[in-house]
Amino acid sequence: MATVVTLHPARASAATVPADLRDLDRSMPEGGPSSNARSAAASTAAWGGYSNGEIPPTAMSPVPAEVGDPYLRPDAAAAYFDLSDAFERAFGVPLVITEAYRGLARQQLLWDRYQNGGNLAAYPGTSVHGWALACDFGGGVQTPGSTRKNWMNANAPAFGWQPRGDSFSSPEAWHFEYDGSYSPPPATVVDTAANQGNIAATDGAAVYFAGADGRLWNAYTNPGWNVAPIGGNVRALSPVVAKADGQAVYYAGPDNRVYNAYYNASGWNVIAIGGSIAAKSGLAVRDDGTAVYFAGGDGRLYNGYHNSSGWNFAAIGGSVRSGSPIATSTDGLAIFFVNSTGILTNAYYNASGWNVAPISGVTVDTDSGLATNAAGTTAYYRGTDGALYNAYHNATGWHVGKIGGSVRAKSPIEASSDGTAVDFIGADDQIYNAYQSPGWKIGVVGGSARAGSGLSANSDGTAIYYTGTDGRLYNAYQKPGWKIGAIGGSVRSN
């Protein structure tokens, strides 16, 4: 089965603009043809019930802007990324945004400077930047008559970005405004990766995801939700997994190596730790972050483990089905995956080393996610009939039980540490929760998950994270009863 992915590929952030363009005193303020004309133009751009310059980040999508707040209205952001793709094909570098959304306080600062002899600036509340619908572009576009400026004037309108700064009384070659006319072409349809998703939640009020720009992003509470880029370059369709305390995150890079983003006193750092991950491989991490598990290029299960000599990689064995998710117990001594014949398989470590054993009679659907409890004694998956199942181990061996429900094809599956709560995306795109009370019950959490959405939950299952149909990160939380809220950001589709 196939899912839709975003039009713009993974890429690093836009090239750095010259220091003079980043300087607040010399940034592009948007003067406009006249204060009355700019006020009229700005009033027609109102959206969402917000005031100019007072739009919350959660209502916008992140873009790689160098100055001010790095956000645009979601449709304007999508149009920017597609325009940047075309620009990069023409010039070999992404399209630089000097400034995008401008909050009211910053607009007031620029206006005050203008009143005291500084650069021309729009009166606060009249800037189209304040509606997250204007960009000041750099990287050569700011120079009238340059090759890049001429290219933008000829091509940007096809993406809904109009060179309105050219008509200002004091022309601003860099200033473009989004008119809402762009309709993206049908997205490319490709095979999905492991049905594991690219969202990783921790118990430390932090969530990690692959952004629409291909970078690793972090959503964290302080005290409200904040969304910020960490960096790196996440391979298309790579899962994202995190250490339990959220201080380390792992993913596959474009070079197929495992990457580690870790936090210390100097902030976030991103390094390649090695290995070679198969296309569409799942990825799992031990709770303490000292071991990762994935399918290698030869189809075998591998582990990367950290000791005093650094990171080491070794084959565990088995034959992992292409696209199989990988799940691990908290101590990393029990791993689950689907083998090449479609059978749920358990790799476990004991005194004799690693052992790989298929669980007889447990056939996992091709489009199944996979989860396990903390102890690694129960695995949860989608059966060939689309229902949720569990395979559990006790003194008499492995057993299989049908929990029920209707799990969406390629939905990730998440289980609480004790295995008494399991979350999945239903066939109707809503989030569902299976829980024991005392037998298995299935309840509707709500929301609407985008095709290709990841899914992650905290260890006790009281908060669930997913991608909404608008591409933003959402959470479902109990307070009491299930509530749905938008966190923000722009999550790449898997």
Side-chain angles (χ1 to χ4, degrees), residues 260 271-274 289-291 303-313:
N260 170 216
I271 61 170
I273 62 175
T290 60
N303 74 328
Y305 57 94
H306 190 272
N307 58 23
S308 58
S309 65
W311 281 98
N312 308 268
F313 291 85

Side-chain angles (χ1 to χ4, degrees), residues 371-394:
T372 183
N373 61 355
T377 56
T378 306
Y380 305 88
Y381 61 94
R382 181 182 192 258
T384 55
D385 61 355
L388 181 66
Y389 282 77
N390 68 340
Y392 56 95
H393 190 272
N394 60 23

Side-chain angles (χ1 to χ4, degrees), residues 34-235:
S34 70
S35 59
N36 288 340
R38 295 308 298 149
S39 180
S43 66
T44 63
W47 61 275
Y50 304 112
S51 297
N52 186 288
E54 297 181 311
I55 303 172
T58 54
M60 299 180 285
S61 294
V63 293
E66 296 285 342
V67 170
D69 299 305
Y71 300 101
L72 287 171
R73 195 172 75 179
D75 59 333
Y80 158 74
F81 280 115
D82 285 356
L83 171 58
S84 182
D85 282 345
F87 187 90
E88 187 169 3
R89 287 192 295 270
F91 299 107
V93 293
L95 177 60
V96 171
I97 299 178
T98 305
E99 186 171 13
Y101 173 67
R102 185 181 299 151
L104 195 62
R106 176 160 158 72
Q107 190 66 46
Q108 183 69 56
L109 173 67
L110 294 172
W111 172 257
D112 291 345
R113 288 176 176 172
Y114 168 50
Q115 295 302 296
N116 288 285
N119 289 343
L120 186 66
Y123 185 79
T126 70
S127 171
V128 179
H129 281 286
W131 293 120
L133 293 172
C135 276
D136 294 333
F137 293 116
V141 176
Q142 75 275 18
T143 305
S146 69
T147 300
R148 293 183 180 186
K149 168 61 174 173
N150 291 342
W151 185 95
M152 282 287 288
N153 278 19
N155 293 277
F159 295 88
W161 284 97
Q162 304 294 337
R164 298 221 167 103
D166 290 350
S167 62
F168 289 178
S169 56
S170 178
E172 297 179 357
W174 50 82
H175 182 86
F176 286 69
E177 296 177 9
Y178 182 65
D179 65 9
S181 65
Y182 180 60
S183 296
T188 303
V189 178
V190 299
D191 288 338
T192 56
N195 310 316
Q196 196 169 322
N198 55 6
I199 299 172
T202 72
D203 289 338
V207 186
Y208 305 93
F209 61 92
D213 59 0
R215 292 184 294 172
L216 183 66
W217 287 72
N218 170 212
Y220 59 95
T221 55
N222 183 34
W225 282 104
N226 303 267
V227 180
I230 292 174
N233 192 351
V234 184
R235 184 178 75 181

